[in-house]
Amino acid sequence: MFDPYRRPTVAVVGAGISGCTAAAECAFSGFDTTLFDRQEYIGGHLTAPDAPTVSRRQHFRTPYLKLTTTDGTPRSLIAHLEAAVDASGATFRGGAEVTGAEWNAEEGQWEVSYTRSGETRTELFDVLIRATGEPSPWIGIPGRANISADELYLHNGVDVVGLPNALFVDYHTPDPKFDQKSWAVFEARGDYARRYVRQLEIRGPGALTVKPDKWRVQPGTVRGLKAALVEFDPDVHAFTRAENYQAASRRARSEAAS
């Protein structure tokens, strides 16, 4: 049954650094968040056999995410991510390969389909966050079946222009090296995701989209990108209430007038 007062729910696809960061940020803010990954465990590229040891400074800076120390080894970084996700209350759905995501305008939600343990299931989420670091042919574009989501522009390297309630937090960082600067970008995007979902909570069920004439390319420096993601700019976004929400409002007004 359609609930006009529901809190936004979040689907994060990909449990690497960027996905775990976004999921933990959203869940710590009280949003029901599900983190999907086709692997049974958290870590993304950190789980690869050739994942390198990096600087000891690679870790979260945000206090409520920084729950363990790291020594730069992939194992310690994975434990760092696991601790943040566990503490946040986000649901990790390992071994779940997302195979489709279609926008449902009536509900104002994404229908996310995934396969797990040989079964295919579909769930509704208000916000879709991609963090796979891979092309996403499984994302359907409303009214534009002839192009893929990977061809769409990204506002500040995060907001997907042309998709409602969708963020890509896995776009390449201004500095291609994997160091503390790139980790800071993951945190900045995760924090932006949290504030994005909060804006949707304020507005109610519906579609939050970037205005085509307002999007900006990602700044060319890490400092510029972090500064651009510090706040949510409402002038850049348009909001359309879910069709069921509009119908419920009309019924309520009609009943009040009778």
Side-chain angles (χ1 to χ4, degrees), residues 120-136:
T120 299
R121 309 171 190 176
T122 300
E123 295 183 29
L124 291 172
F125 296 92
D126 292 277
V127 179
L128 175 66
I129 300 177
R130 189 194 75 176
T132 60
E134 299 175 348
S136 45

Side-chain angles (χ1 to χ4, degrees), residues 6-7 11-12 14 60 62 67 79 127 135 147 162 171 184 204 220 226 232:
R6 67 173 184 250
R7 294 201 76 193
V12 181
F60 288 119
T62 306
L67 302 173
V127 179
I147 65 172
Y171 186 62
K226 290 172 62 179
F232 179 92

Side-chain angles (χ1 to χ4, degrees), residues 46-252:
L46 293 172
T47 64
D50 58 350
T53 296
V54 295
S55 166
R56 291 175 180 268
R57 293 181 298 170
Q58 294 279 27
H59 55 71
F60 288 119
R61 298 294 179 178
T62 306
Y64 54 82
L65 296 178
K66 185 182 177 182
L67 302 173
T68 66
T69 58
T70 65
D71 59 13
T73 61
R75 181 61 256 174
S76 73
L77 294 175
I78 292 171
H80 198 56
L81 297 175
E82 290 174 336
V85 172
D86 288 345
S88 73
T91 299
F92 175 55
R93 202 154 286 167
E97 182 167 6
V98 174
T99 57
E102 299 292 336
W103 177 250
N104 184 324
E106 290 187 353
E107 297 292 334
Q109 292 180 301
W110 284 95
E111 296 179 352
V112 177
S113 301
Y114 62 96
T115 301
R116 190 185 193 198
S117 301
E119 295 183 18
T120 299
R121 309 171 190 176
T122 300
E123 295 183 29
L124 291 172
F125 296 92
D126 292 277
V127 179
L128 175 66
I129 300 177
R130 189 194 75 176
T132 60
E134 299 175 348
S136 45
W138 45 270
I139 298 178
I141 303 176
R144 303 180 70 183
N146 59 327
I147 65 172
S148 73
D150 303 287
E151 298 176 67
L152 300 176
Y153 295 116
L154 297 181
H155 170 63
N156 282 334
V158 180
D159 269 310
V160 189
V161 182
L163 286 182
N165 301 4
L167 302 174
F168 287 1
V169 297
D170 54 359
Y171 186 62
H172 64 79
T173 64
D175 187 341
K177 295 185 298 182
F178 178 59
D179 56 14
Q180 188 57 48
K181 287 184 179 180
S182 58
W183 193 293
V185 171
F186 298 143
E187 284 197 77
R189 289 175 177 162
D191 186 56
Y192 181 83
R194 172 185 63 80
R195 283 182 275 110
Y196 182 98
V197 180
R198 170 60 178 155
Q199 289 296 321
L200 192 61
E201 179 185 34
I202 293 171
R203 289 165 172 76
L208 197 60
T209 54
V210 178
K211 298 176 183 177
D213 61 334
K214 294 288 188 177
W215 73 276
R216 297 188 298 267
V217 298
Q218 174 176 280
T221 65
V222 171
R223 177 177 295 182
L225 179 58
K226 290 172 62 179
L229 297 177
V230 163
E231 61 182 31
F232 179 92
D233 187 352
D235 292 335
V236 171
H237 297 78
F239 177 72
T240 304
R241 294 194 184 281
E243 293 175 8
N244 283 346
Y245 188 103
Q246 296 180 38
S249 298
R250 287 194 295 270
R251 286 196 299 271

